[in-house]
Amino acid sequence: QVQLAESGGGSVQAGGSLRLACVVSGHDLTVNRHCMGWFRQAPGKLREGVATYYSVGGKIDYADSVKGRFTLSKDYAKRTLYLEMNNLKPEDTATYYCSADYGAAWCGLNREFTYWGQGTQVTVSS
């Protein structure tokens, strides 16, 4: 069974940085095409896509609101997906979730993912 476990959230001041990690278990990331992503949801708001990665071609998509500040990366040896967040703003405050789909024919911020982690809280103060 596929399981995703996020970590790395915390409280920082505006302008600070955090690195989130998502460890994948129950699936071999080196086989089969897959789509993975980071999403976030702030209180009272809809969930929004932050960044996605497609193993076919290595395509990475970012939400406009995080372009130039956030970087998605992966380490297959550690079965881990990362989200490096720099120059954080108060509006980045949210619970961040890791997501995954396997055998995916396409990948992007609008995809409805099958597997989700429990989330990690990020709080940015001004």
Side-chain angles (χ1 to χ4, degrees):
Q1 182 173 345
V2 176
Q3 291 186 322
L4 309 175
E6 304 97 334
S7 63
S11 297
V12 296
Q13 290 189 328
S17 299
L18 286 172
R19 187 175 78 155
L20 305 183
C22 172
V23 178
V24 180
S25 59
H27 186 82
D28 185 351
L29 294 178
T30 62
V31 299
N32 206 350
R33 60 184 185 273
H34 55 269
C35 175
M36 298 189 69
W38 287 97
F39 287 72
R40 66 186 181 186
Q41 188 166 19
K45 294 188 177 181
L46 296 175
R47 185 176 63 201
E48 66 169 334
V50 175
T52 57
Y53 164 78
Y54 193 28
S55 63
V56 179
K59 184 172 181 290
I60 298 176
D61 288 316
Y62 294 99
D64 288 342
S65 59
V66 306
K67 282 181 181 176
R69 300 188 298 123
F70 290 13
T71 303
L72 183 153
S73 63
K74 65 203 182 307
D75 185 333
Y76 282 161
K78 295 182 179 179
R79 296 179 288 111
T80 303
L81 186 76
Y82 298 100
L83 185 68
E84 183 77 34
M85 306 186 295
N86 296 314
N87 190 22
L88 283 161
K89 304 176 180 180
E91 51 263 43
D92 294 318
T93 295
T95 301
Y96 284 70
Y97 298 90
C98 177
S99 59
D101 260 337
Y102 303 103
W106 67 278
C107 186
L109 296 173
N110 293 324
R111 186 179 181 88
E112 290 291 333
F113 284 81
T114 302
Y115 301 101
W116 292 88
Q118 295 292 326
T120 185
Q121 178 66 37
V122 171
T123 302
V124 184
S125 58
S126 58

